[in-house]
Amino acid sequence: MGEGKGEGAAFTLAEGATHVGNCANYRKSAFTLAEVLITLAIIGVVAAMTIPTLVANYQEKSWGTAATVFERKLTEAMRVMNANATLAGHSTTESFVNELAKNFKTTKICANDKLQDCFSSEVTYGNEVVDMTKVKKAKHFGQDEWGTEIIGTQFANGTTALIAYNPKCSQDPYSNTITGSDCLAILYDTSAGKTPNVSGKDLRANGNVQSLGGSSCAFEIDGTCFGMPFQANSAHTWNACNSSTYTSTDAEDQAYMQKYGLDYCYPGDDYFAKAAETCGGTSKMAQLSDLATIANYLYDTDIVGEKTDNGSNYDGNTIAFNPTKGSSLGFPSPSFWVWSGEEGSSAKSSAHVRDFYSDDTVWNYDARNRSGGWAVCLGD
């Protein structure tokens, strides 16, 4: 019995020894406090580096989406007004905005002397901080000839806006294409007055906002000042453009050509001419070299030239359109094209453009009666 107990005791101790040994091995494989703290520190550093970028990308995308939705709803509302013959004929911006509110759900309209009840008192437009309390009339949007006051509006979707109306607004109740793009200059904020209130981000404008309180620079690249991009969906109609020579002997046509630096006309809807008019002349539109500058910025490259085609489809260079940068400047996602201020010399019915695709950008020229293009004015 003593021997048996001794053997049992020895066996028990052996098991205990083995068990203690396993615990020791387990403790050695666990993380120490120092290791845990170092790991947490690394995670914190990585998070600090990546989260702001992710948040910024999300904000850029949300601003762009909100702007696209707002512009679509505004266009639909103005098409309805055109069909109902209520788009034109207003002598004041207030009259127009009250009519617009019947077709685009609005929560608040702010009179000219209470604009800051609807809009921020300070915004950043391009590189300039603008005191919005001094922006009161259409001339403060660069529309000296309109003579109308600005009215503030809060739309039901959360967007706030300042609107100036053009009393010479065009209208054709029988047309399904008129969007009223020549009827108003509108500066709008998709974040309803919250920060950052910066042009190209939450702050957007249509092409008729040629300047803001004296500032015409919506963004700057390599020292060149550009206005806010706009879609050229409105056309100029000539009185007597010759379809063979693309010139006109009509006095009114000639005066228009001289005023806006045009060498040729087009016998029909001329979207290029209207884009030139919006910018104040062909010389005030972005030229092919300027569009190359914009392309290099949007594709994160420096290989695009004034008349150089670059991209995977042309010379083997792989480039990609940066949608975040595009949205920040006010451009849509590709594909889109932009008029330059250069008319075609051999093909007089056309003007030079630059096409922007997801993996390619090409200089080209398009017929002046082609709608859907974009344009960018040069700032001062």
Side-chain angles (χ1 to χ4, degrees):
M1 291 291 291
E3 291 179 357
K5 289 181 180 178
E7 289 177 357
F11 180 76
T12 302
L13 289 172
E15 282 186 336
T18 301
H19 181 68
V20 171
N22 287 339
C23 287
N25 290 337
Y26 177 75
R27 292 191 187 100
K28 288 181 180 178
S29 64
F31 291 111
T32 66
L33 178 60
E35 289 172 331
V36 171
L37 293 175
I38 291 172
T39 301
L40 291 175
I42 292 173
I43 293 174
V45 170
V46 173
M49 294 174 62
T50 58
I51 290 178
T53 301
L54 294 174
V55 171
N57 290 340
Y58 171 78
Q59 287 181 325
E60 294 284 358
K61 186 175 182 180
S62 64
W63 290 328
T65 300
T68 299
V69 172
F70 173 77
E71 289 167 4
R72 184 176 67 247
K73 289 183 177 180
L74 179 63
T75 297
E76 290 172 353
M78 297 185 75
R79 281 178 175 166
V80 171
M81 292 174 67
N82 175 62
N84 294 335
T86 59
L87 188 61
H90 303 279
S91 59
T92 66
T93 302
E94 183 178 8
S95 172
F96 168 80
V97 169
N98 286 330
E99 189 65 37
L100 176 65
K102 298 176 183 178
N103 301 279
F104 194 158
K105 193 171 181 180
T106 302
T107 56
K108 190 175 185 179
I109 296 175
C110 299
N112 181 258
D113 60 346
K114 295 182 179 179
L115 293 179
Q116 272 56 63
D117 288 349
C118 281
F119 210 79
S120 301
S121 59
E122 184 177 277
V123 303
T124 301
Y125 193 79
N127 296 325
E128 183 176 336
V129 176
V130 180
D131 180 0
M132 297 303 294
T133 63
K134 298 180 180 179
V135 176
K136 295 287 188 180
K137 299 181 179 295
K139 67 179 181 180
H140 295 138
F141 282 165
Q143 298 295 349
D144 294 342
E145 298 178 358
W146 290 10
T148 51
E149 294 183 333
I150 291 173
I151 296 295
T153 307
Q154 288 184 350
F155 295 96
N157 67 351
T159 299
T160 60
L162 295 181
I163 298 174
Y165 179 73
N166 179 9
K168 296 181 180 180
C169 169
S170 63
Q171 175 176 273
D172 180 1
Y174 300 101
S175 172
N176 291 322
T177 59
I178 290 182
T179 62
S181 57
D182 65 336
C183 295
L184 76 160
I186 178 168
L187 178 73
Y188 64 95
D189 186 348
T190 60
S191 64
K194 298 178 182 178
T195 56
N197 298 328
V198 175
S199 59
K201 293 187 177 181
D202 57 338
L203 190 68
R204 306 293 176 99
N206 72 349
N208 291 328
V209 180
Q210 297 180 2
S211 62
L212 184 59
S215 174
S216 60
C217 184
F219 62 91
E220 185 176 318
I221 302 176
D222 293 343
T224 301
C225 178
F226 297 94
M228 186 68 71
F230 62 95
Q231 195 164 20
N233 279 333
S234 182
H236 175 73
T237 302
W238 299 89
N239 294 327
C241 185
N242 187 294
S243 59
S244 298
T245 63
Y246 298 98
T247 58
S248 175
T249 56
D250 179 82
E252 186 176 347
D253 285 349
Q254 290 182 342
Y256 184 92
M257 295 172 74
Q258 183 176 8
K259 182 176 182 179
Y260 297 113
L262 296 162
D263 294 325
Y264 308 107
C265 56
Y266 188 89
D269 290 338
D270 193 337
Y271 292 92
F272 170 76
K274 191 65 176 182
E277 176 187 338
T278 301
C279 287
T282 55
S283 63
K284 295 183 179 180
M285 296 174 69
Q287 308 299 302
L288 278 178
S289 59
D290 300 312
L291 296 182
T293 297
I294 293 175
N296 281 312
Y297 176 78
L298 293 180
Y299 290 92
D300 297 310
T301 184
D302 60 358
I303 60 176
V304 178
E306 179 178 343
K307 292 186 176 181
T308 303
D309 295 337
N310 284 288
S312 58
N313 298 330
Y314 288 87
D315 60 5
N317 292 305
T318 301
I319 59 176
F321 182 90
N322 188 321
T324 299
K325 285 187 174 181
S327 175
S328 71
L329 300 189
F331 286 108
S333 297
S335 301
F336 65 92
W337 52 279
V338 183
W339 291 110
S340 78
E342 302 174 40
E343 296 175 279
S345 54
S346 55
K348 299 176 182 178
S349 62
S350 65
H352 290 292
V353 303
R354 177 163 284 279
D355 298 321
F356 292 81
Y357 303 108
S358 60
D359 62 350
D360 185 27
T361 177
V362 187
W363 79 273
N364 208 334
Y365 49 88
D366 273 306
R368 294 163 65 133
N369 67 337
R370 185 183 176 194
S371 64
W374 288 71
V376 185
C377 306
L378 294 174
D380 297 327

